[in-house]
Amino acid sequence: MGNQGHGASFPSQTAYPCPVPSANLRKPRNTQETRLALVRRARRINRDLAELYPDAHCELDFEAPLELVVATILSAQCTDRRVNAVTPTLFARYRTAEDYASADREEMEKIIMSTGFFRAKTNNLIKLGQALCDRFGGEVPRTMDELVSLPGVGRKTANVVLGNAFGVPGITVDTHFMRLARRFGWTTATDPVKIEHEIGELIPRKDWTLLSHRLIWHGRRVCHARRPACGACPLARLCPSYGEGPTDEKTAIKLIRSGPFS
């Protein structure tokens, strides 16, 4: 389950993989959208994202469910690139839940220090190993309820693990997903659980995991928090938030980040 390939990596500022909208494209009218129209627009955006990012995947490197749980815990307030720089050493040293349960705290802290909040993360990883050994025979469980009962694991981490380690569809609401879902007008909620449920009603369940990756990839590369590249976004015609960032094509293209981010 190692992660290979990076899909639309935007190799240059001029080599954009999809048609760029005209610089004078008007922002969609602020009219009341019917529920049916919202569902159709959301699913069209999902299809367009699938074409834009055909190889979208989890950008955390892992080979087993336990490794993905650990990597996702480390990714809190940390970039995937930094986590991926740390985990080869960590995974070589700690291979099983028992290894984490019996880990030397100072040794583990030194390995993961660069990911930030390393004391709290070390505490969670040791307790995670202990919980897995005590309650699940050293194996990562495969249900939401069981996963969120583990130290350091919330719904976001559980959905990452379910979708990417076990093939169980799940919506991962991180900061990128939340921002884009609101910009697309799919939800006005700010609570991650409510967002997860509302988007789940718009998009077919089979697409949930890949939708999460596609929104995260688009958020990292194009639809940035401060200056989204609106004038170079292939989704502009479908986005009610068009105009939050520069609409001039030349200006917007310069804002595109090529990736990869892992």
Side-chain angles (χ1 to χ4, degrees):
M1 285 186 288
N3 300 320
Q4 302 295 328
H6 295 284
S9 57
F10 305 112
S12 72
Q13 293 177 340
T14 57
Y16 200 80
C18 291
V20 173
S22 170
N24 63 4
L25 178 64
R26 292 182 180 272
K27 184 175 179 178
R29 294 178 181 176
N30 186 21
T31 57
Q32 187 67 31
E33 187 173 38
T34 67
R35 178 68 182 179
L36 178 59
L38 171 61
V39 171
R40 287 176 172 172
R41 184 170 61 83
R43 295 185 179 188
R44 177 59 186 272
I45 289 174
N46 182 41
R47 291 194 298 272
D48 285 358
L49 285 169
E51 294 182 6
L52 183 58
Y53 306 109
D55 298 322
H57 59 267
C58 177
E59 294 187 282
L60 293 170
D61 294 335
F62 69 98
E63 295 292 340
L66 177 60
E67 291 184 353
L68 182 55
V69 176
V70 170
T72 308
I73 289 173
L74 293 179
S75 70
Q77 304 298 313
C78 182
T79 65
D80 289 355
R81 186 189 297 273
R82 170 49 53 189
V83 173
N84 290 341
V86 166
T87 50
T89 300
L90 186 72
F91 294 162
R93 176 64 182 84
Y94 307 100
R95 298 180 180 275
T96 67
E98 185 177 356
D99 290 337
Y100 284 96
S102 60
D104 178 83
R105 184 178 299 274
E106 290 186 5
E107 180 182 6
M108 183 178 288
E109 286 179 354
K110 288 180 181 178
I111 295 174
I112 70 171
M113 182 178 296
S114 63
T115 67
F117 303 98
F118 61 93
R119 291 189 177 88
K121 291 178 180 179
T122 295
N123 190 53
N124 280 334
L125 293 181
I126 292 174
K127 288 184 176 180
L128 169 71
Q130 294 169 346
L132 290 175
C133 290
D134 292 345
R135 295 194 279 125
F136 301 105
E139 299 296 323
V140 177
R142 295 170 176 250
T143 70
M144 173 65 73
D145 288 344
E146 290 174 323
L147 283 167
V148 297
S149 74
L150 297 171
V153 178
R155 285 191 68 89
K156 182 176 76 172
T157 296
N159 274 320
V160 170
V161 174
L162 288 172
N164 296 282
F166 297 128
V168 178
I171 294 175
T172 302
V173 183
D174 74 346
T175 56
H176 298 292
F177 190 101
M178 183 183 298
R179 179 175 71 254
L180 269 65
R182 288 171 58 83
R183 280 182 175 166
F184 289 155
W186 292 356
T187 181
T188 58
T190 56
D191 176 67
V193 176
K194 188 172 182 180
I195 292 173
E196 179 186 334
H197 291 158
E198 289 186 359
I199 305 309
E201 294 176 352
L202 297 176
I203 304 296
R205 185 173 185 272
K206 64 181 178 62
D207 291 339
W208 287 355
T209 300
L210 281 175
L211 173 72
S212 301
H213 295 322
R214 292 163 187 161
L215 259 67
I216 291 169
W217 277 44
H218 195 61
R220 287 173 170 170
R221 291 158 175 80
V222 180
C223 194
H224 315 303
R226 294 186 178 180
R227 294 191 77 201
C230 292
C233 180
L235 305 177
R237 70 194 184 285
L238 299 169
C239 181
S241 298
Y242 175 80
E244 284 194 14
T247 58
D248 174 71
E249 179 180 332
K250 292 182 179 179
T251 301
I253 285 177
K254 293 178 181 179
L255 297 174
I256 294 173
R257 298 171 186 167
S258 62
F261 294 85
S262 60

